[in-house]
Amino acid sequence: MKMLHTNLQEVETVAELEKMIAENENVMVCCGRMGPMCIPVYDIMEELEEDRPDIKFAVMSFDSPEAYIIRNAPECRGFMGLPFTMYYKNGKVARATSSIQSMDQVTTVLEEHFSTSNVEKA
């Protein structure tokens, strides 16, 4: 049962999330609610999903008992604002952010951690 009304894949269990992280080199998961701080991040992810087939985008309901895997992650300690956004690279947390993010903020993290092109030496 989908808790979040987005066009993104919704992860409902820890097992689903772990499988996604294991099967995809680059994963961005936004853990939140249908609130004013979260919806803009979902919209950004939906927009980026079309342009970045190298990244698996997904959402998880913050209120799901299964979301403890993100809520209680050491990288999220001290986070106050929703959503909690996790970026996984090769099965490990590459970055975690909280609260509303702009397109620039999200793409900066993607470029920093998920860049497909290495800088070529001239």
Side-chain angles (χ1 to χ4, degrees), residues 8-9 19 29 33 52 55 80 82 90 92 94 107 117:
L8 298 157
Q9 180 175 342
K19 183 175 190 287
V29 181
R33 301 181 172 124
R52 297 296 302 262
I55 301 170
M80 302 297 280
L82 292 180
N90 296 322
K92 294 184 172 34
T107 54
S117 60

Side-chain angles (χ1 to χ4, degrees), residues 71 73-81 84 98:
R71 282 196 311 262
E75 295 83 2
C76 297
R77 195 173 291 122
F79 281 5
M80 302 297 280
F84 291 8
S98 75

Side-chain angles (χ1 to χ4, degrees), residues 36-90:
M37 302 294 275
C38 303
I39 292 169
V41 181
Y42 305 148
D43 291 343
I44 289 167
M45 292 171 71
E46 287 177 10
E47 195 174 323
L48 289 171
E49 191 172 41
E50 297 171 19
D51 302 332
R52 297 296 302 262
D54 59 309
I55 301 170
K56 185 71 179 166
F57 293 93
V59 293
M60 191 169 202
S61 172
F62 191 83
D63 298 308
S64 161
E66 296 282 317
Y68 76 85
I69 191 168
I70 292 176
R71 282 196 311 262
N72 298 344
E75 295 83 2
C76 297
R77 195 173 291 122
F79 281 5
M80 302 297 280
L82 292 180
F84 291 8
T85 306
M86 299 290 274
Y87 299 84
Y88 300 92
K89 175 79 174 180
N90 296 322

Side-chain angles (χ1 to χ4, degrees), residues 22-39:
E23 291 177 354
N24 297 278
E25 182 183 347
N26 302 312
V27 179
M28 178 181 176
V29 181
C30 188
C31 184
R33 301 181 172 124
M34 292 309 292
M37 302 294 275
C38 303
I39 292 169

Side-chain angles (χ1 to χ4, degrees), residues 37 40-41 44 83 85 87 97-103 105-106 109:
M37 302 294 275
V41 181
I44 289 167
T85 306
Y87 299 84
T97 61
S98 75
S99 198
I100 192 167
Q101 300 282 302
S102 68
M103 177 66 87
Q105 288 170 304
V106 172
V109 174

